[in-house]
Amino acid sequence: MDLRQLRYLDAVARARSFTAAALDLHVAQSALSQQVAKLERELGVELLRRTTRRVEVTEAGELVLARGRRALAEAEAIRADLDALHGLVRGRLRIGGVPPVSGLHPASLIAEFGRAHPGVEITIREDVAALLLDELEAARLDLVLALVAPDDTSPALTGVRLLDEELAVVAAPGHALASRKRVPHAALADEPLVAYGHGSALRHELDRLFPDGRVVAEANELATLRELVALGLGVTLMPAAVVASARDEELTVRPLHPRVRVPVSMLWRANETPTPAARAFREHVLAEVTKSS
């Protein structure tokens, strides 16, 4: 038994799929399967039950994983401690991100950090906030940037509120709302809405403000939402800074009245010592937010 086999077993158990685990680990699926099978032969037990649809962890597999994950965590901690001792920033950094909001542009932050720390292998995961936070809690991500307040997440997570972002009404230029300087909440009550999918922080806010709203389309891509709105299918709410640069002929952006602001936070697991790479990225983000404030 070695750490590589335990790491492979853990990846398959989390993904419930050999294919997905191989992609996550950047290894051939055949090599992954061989190492897991070898571990099962060495231990003399079935650790994973393969079905046509997914992979299930056996009772023996759960026992092995419980100790194996502790061993993997200790091995990572040894490397992190040694790197910290020598002032090195390297290793792996897995970030869950959101589209750009306010002065915070995740892609730019990550690119700048990568150039400054070429020894860090960075993986970026984009999805709705709820799924990203689940992956963070399950230790499949190291950090998440999301439109939620740290206090509104699981007790297993913590973080820092970086800034607040104002939401704006976005409509096609010819829409009736385009003639208003400010849009009262009541004016959106009967409007067809274009929204992010369930699980996103923006969808949660839209449902909170308009619980009886009529959603005519859902999308998780910012470009798709903007295009649907520009074509007149419906209106939506977006962080004002995301659409502030839009040309007048593409979209009309109007403030809500009364104003609505959402938090922008950086989140990580509570009661866990960060790796040097995760700590350095936290400091990088905080420095950039301070600089732009």
Side-chain angles (χ1 to χ4, degrees), residues 4-41:
R4 180 180 59 169
Q5 291 171 334
L6 292 174
R7 187 172 294 109
Y8 285 5
L9 174 66
D10 177 55
V12 177
R14 291 187 187 279
R16 292 292 194 267
S17 163
F18 278 88
T19 302
L23 289 171
D24 185 49
L25 293 168
H26 305 292
V27 299
Q29 185 175 335
S30 58
L32 178 64
S33 299
Q34 289 169 8
Q35 287 301 319
V36 173
K38 182 179 178 181
L39 179 60
E40 289 179 315
R41 289 195 300 271

Coordinates of all heavy atoms in Angstrom, one line a residue, residues 4-41:
R4 N 0.0 6.9 -3.2 CA -0.6 7.1 -4.5 C -1.8 6.3 -4.7 O -2.9 6.8 -5.2 CB 0.4 6.7 -5.6 CG -0.2 6.9 -7.0 CD 0.8 6.5 -8.1 NE 1.3 5.1 -8.0 CZ 1.9 4.5 -8.9 NH1 2.3 5.1 -10.0 NH2 2.3 3.2 -8.7
Q5 N -1.8 5.0 -4.2 CA -3.0 4.2 -4.3 C -4.1 4.8 -3.4 O -5.3 4.8 -3.8 CB -2.7 2.8 -3.8 CG -1.7 2.0 -4.7 CD -1.2 0.7 -4.1 OE1 -1.2 0.6 -2.9 NE2 -0.9 -0.2 -5.0
L6 N -3.8 5.3 -2.2 CA -4.8 5.9 -1.4 C -5.4 7.1 -2.1 O -6.6 7.4 -2.0 CB -4.2 6.2 0.0 CG -3.8 5.0 0.9 CD1 -3.1 5.5 2.1 CD2 -5.1 4.2 1.2
R7 N -4.5 7.9 -2.7 CA -5.0 9.1 -3.4 C -5.9 8.8 -4.5 O -7.0 9.4 -4.7 CB -3.8 9.9 -3.9 CG -4.2 11.3 -4.5 CD -2.9 12.1 -4.8 NE -2.2 12.5 -3.6 CZ -1.0 12.0 -3.2 NH1 -0.4 11.1 -4.0 NH2 -0.4 12.4 -2.1
Y8 N -5.6 7.7 -5.3 CA -6.4 7.3 -6.4 C -7.8 6.8 -5.8 O -8.8 7.1 -6.4 CB -5.8 6.2 -7.2 CG -4.6 6.6 -8.1 CD1 -4.2 7.9 -8.1 CD2 -4.0 5.7 -8.9 CE1 -3.1 8.3 -8.9 CE2 -2.9 6.1 -9.7 CZ -2.5 7.4 -9.7 OH -1.5 7.8 -10.5
L9 N -7.7 6.0 -4.8 CA -9.0 5.5 -4.2 C -9.9 6.6 -3.7 O -11.1 6.6 -4.0 CB -8.6 4.5 -3.0 CG -9.8 4.0 -2.2 CD1 -10.7 3.1 -3.0 CD2 -9.4 3.3 -0.9
D10 N -9.3 7.6 -3.1 CA -10.0 8.7 -2.6 C -10.7 9.5 -3.7 O -11.8 9.9 -3.6 CB -9.1 9.7 -1.8 CG -9.8 10.9 -1.3 OD1 -10.8 10.8 -0.6 OD2 -9.3 12.0 -1.6
A11 N -9.9 9.7 -4.8 CA -10.5 10.4 -6.0 C -11.7 9.7 -6.6 O -12.7 10.4 -6.9 CB -9.4 10.7 -7.0
V12 N -11.6 8.4 -6.7 CA -12.7 7.7 -7.3 C -13.9 7.7 -6.4 O -15.0 7.8 -6.8 CB -12.2 6.2 -7.6 CG1 -13.4 5.4 -8.1 CG2 -11.1 6.2 -8.6
A13 N -13.6 7.5 -5.1 CA -14.7 7.5 -4.1 C -15.5 8.9 -4.1 O -16.7 8.9 -4.0 CB -14.2 7.2 -2.7
R14 N -14.7 10.0 -4.2 CA -15.4 11.3 -4.2 C -16.1 11.5 -5.5 O -17.2 12.1 -5.5 CB -14.3 12.4 -4.0 CG -13.7 12.4 -2.6 CD -12.8 13.6 -2.5 NE -12.0 13.6 -1.2 CZ -12.5 13.9 -0.1 NH1 -13.7 14.4 0.0 NH2 -11.7 13.9 1.0
A15 N -15.6 11.1 -6.6 CA -16.2 11.4 -7.9 C -17.3 10.3 -8.3 O -18.1 10.6 -9.1 CB -15.1 11.4 -9.0
R16 N -17.2 9.2 -7.6 CA -18.1 8.0 -7.9 C -17.9 7.6 -9.4 O -18.9 7.1 -10.0 CB -19.5 8.4 -7.6 CG -19.9 8.6 -6.1 CD -19.7 7.3 -5.4 NE -20.3 7.3 -4.0 CZ -19.7 7.6 -2.9 NH1 -18.4 7.9 -3.0 NH2 -20.3 7.6 -1.8
S17 N -16.7 7.8 -9.9 CA -16.5 7.5 -11.3 C -15.0 7.4 -11.5 O -14.2 8.3 -11.1 CB -17.1 8.6 -12.2 OG -16.5 8.6 -13.5
F18 N -14.6 6.3 -12.2 CA -13.2 6.2 -12.6 C -12.8 7.2 -13.7 O -11.7 7.8 -13.6 CB -12.9 4.8 -13.1 CG -12.7 3.8 -12.0 CD1 -13.7 3.1 -11.5 CD2 -11.4 3.5 -11.5 CE1 -13.5 2.2 -10.5 CE2 -11.2 2.6 -10.5 CZ -12.3 1.9 -10.0
T19 N -13.7 7.5 -14.6 CA -13.4 8.4 -15.7 C -13.2 9.8 -15.1 O -12.2 10.5 -15.4 CB -14.6 8.4 -16.7 OG1 -14.8 7.1 -17.2 CG2 -14.3 9.4 -17.8
A20 N -14.1 10.3 -14.3 CA -14.0 11.6 -13.7 C -12.8 11.8 -12.8 O -12.1 12.8 -12.8 CB -15.3 12.0 -12.9
A21 N -12.5 10.7 -12.0 CA -11.3 10.8 -11.2 C -10.0 10.8 -12.0 O -9.1 11.5 -11.6 CB -11.3 9.5 -10.3
A22 N -10.0 10.1 -13.1 CA -8.8 10.1 -13.9 C -8.6 11.5 -14.5 O -7.4 12.0 -14.6 CB -8.9 9.1 -15.0
L23 N -9.6 12.1 -14.9 CA -9.5 13.5 -15.5 C -9.0 14.5 -14.4 O -8.2 15.3 -14.6 CB -10.9 13.9 -16.0 CG -11.3 13.3 -17.3 CD1 -12.8 13.6 -17.6 CD2 -10.4 13.6 -18.5
D24 N -9.6 14.3 -13.2 CA -9.2 15.2 -12.1 C -7.7 15.0 -11.7 O -7.0 16.0 -11.4 CB -10.1 14.9 -10.9 CG -9.8 15.9 -9.7 OD1 -9.8 17.1 -10.0 OD2 -9.7 15.4 -8.6
L25 N -7.2 13.8 -11.8 CA -5.9 13.5 -11.4 C -4.9 13.6 -12.5 O -3.7 13.5 -12.3 CB -5.8 12.1 -10.8 CG -6.5 11.8 -9.5 CD1 -6.6 10.3 -9.2 CD2 -5.8 12.5 -8.3
H26 N -5.4 13.8 -13.7 CA -4.5 13.9 -14.9 C -3.7 12.6 -15.2 O -2.5 12.7 -15.4 CB -3.6 15.1 -14.9 CG -4.3 16.4 -14.6 ND1 -5.2 17.0 -15.5 CD2 -4.4 17.2 -13.5 CE1 -5.6 18.1 -15.0 NE2 -5.2 18.3 -13.8
V27 N -4.4 11.5 -15.0 CA -3.7 10.2 -15.3 C -4.6 9.4 -16.2 O -5.8 9.7 -16.3 CB -3.5 9.4 -13.9 CG1 -2.6 10.2 -13.0 CG2 -4.8 9.1 -13.3
A28 N -4.0 8.4 -16.8 CA -4.8 7.5 -17.7 C -5.8 6.7 -16.8 O -5.5 6.2 -15.7 CB -3.9 6.6 -18.4
Q29 N -7.0 6.5 -17.3 CA -8.0 5.7 -16.6 C -7.5 4.3 -16.3 O -7.8 3.7 -15.2 CB -9.3 5.7 -17.3 CG -10.5 5.0 -16.5 CD -11.8 5.1 -17.2 OE1 -12.0 6.1 -18.0 NE2 -12.7 4.2 -16.9
S30 N -6.8 3.7 -17.3 CA -6.3 2.3 -17.1 C -5.4 2.2 -15.9 O -5.4 1.3 -15.1 CB -5.7 1.8 -18.4 OG -4.6 2.7 -18.8
A31 N -4.5 3.2 -15.8 CA -3.5 3.2 -14.7 C -4.2 3.4 -13.4 O -3.8 2.8 -12.4 CB -2.5 4.4 -14.9
L32 N -5.2 4.2 -13.4 CA -6.0 4.4 -12.1 C -6.7 3.1 -11.7 O -6.6 2.7 -10.5 CB -7.0 5.5 -12.4 CG -7.9 5.9 -11.2 CD1 -7.2 6.5 -10.1 CD2 -9.0 6.9 -11.7
S33 N -7.3 2.5 -12.6 CA -8.0 1.2 -12.3 C -7.0 0.2 -11.9 O -7.3 -0.6 -10.9 CB -8.8 0.7 -13.6 OG -9.7 1.7 -14.0
Q34 N -5.9 0.1 -12.5 CA -4.9 -0.9 -12.1 C -4.4 -0.7 -10.7 O -4.3 -1.7 -9.9 CB -3.7 -0.9 -13.1 CG -4.0 -1.4 -14.5 CD -2.9 -1.1 -15.5 OE1 -1.9 -0.6 -15.1 NE2 -3.2 -1.4 -16.7
Q35 N -4.2 0.5 -10.3 CA -3.7 0.8 -9.0 C -4.7 0.5 -7.9 O -4.4 0.0 -6.8 CB -3.2 2.2 -8.9 CG -1.9 2.5 -9.6 CD -0.7 1.7 -9.1 OE1 -0.6 1.5 -7.9 NE2 0.1 1.1 -10.0
V36 N -6.0 0.9 -8.2 CA -7.0 0.6 -7.2 C -7.2 -0.9 -7.1 O -7.4 -1.5 -6.0 CB -8.3 1.2 -7.6 CG1 -9.5 0.8 -6.7 CG2 -8.2 2.8 -7.5
A37 N -7.2 -1.6 -8.2 CA -7.3 -3.1 -8.2 C -6.1 -3.7 -7.4 O -6.3 -4.7 -6.7 CB -7.4 -3.6 -9.6
K38 N -5.0 -3.2 -7.6 CA -3.8 -3.7 -6.9 C -3.9 -3.5 -5.4 O -3.6 -4.4 -4.6 CB -2.5 -3.0 -7.4 CG -1.2 -3.5 -6.7 CD 0.0 -2.7 -7.3 CE 1.2 -3.2 -6.6 NZ 2.4 -2.4 -7.1
L39 N -4.5 -2.4 -5.0 CA -4.7 -2.1 -3.6 C -5.7 -3.1 -3.0 O -5.5 -3.6 -1.9 CB -5.2 -0.7 -3.4 CG -5.5 -0.2 -1.9 CD1 -4.3 -0.4 -1.0 CD2 -6.0 1.2 -1.9
E40 N -6.7 -3.4 -3.8 CA -7.8 -4.3 -3.3 C -7.2 -5.7 -3.1 O -7.5 -6.4 -2.2 CB -8.9 -4.4 -4.3 CG -9.8 -3.1 -4.3 CD -10.9 -3.2 -5.3 OE1 -10.7 -3.6 -6.4 OE2 -12.1 -2.8 -4.9
R41 N -6.3 -6.1 -4.1 CA -5.6 -7.4 -4.0 C -4.7 -7.5 -2.7 O -4.7 -8.5 -2.0 CB -4.8 -7.7 -5.2 CG -5.7 -8.0 -6.5 CD -4.9 -8.7 -7.6 NE -3.8 -7.8 -8.0 CZ -3.9 -6.9 -9.0 NH1 -5.1 -6.7 -9.6 NH2 -2.8 -6.2 -9.3

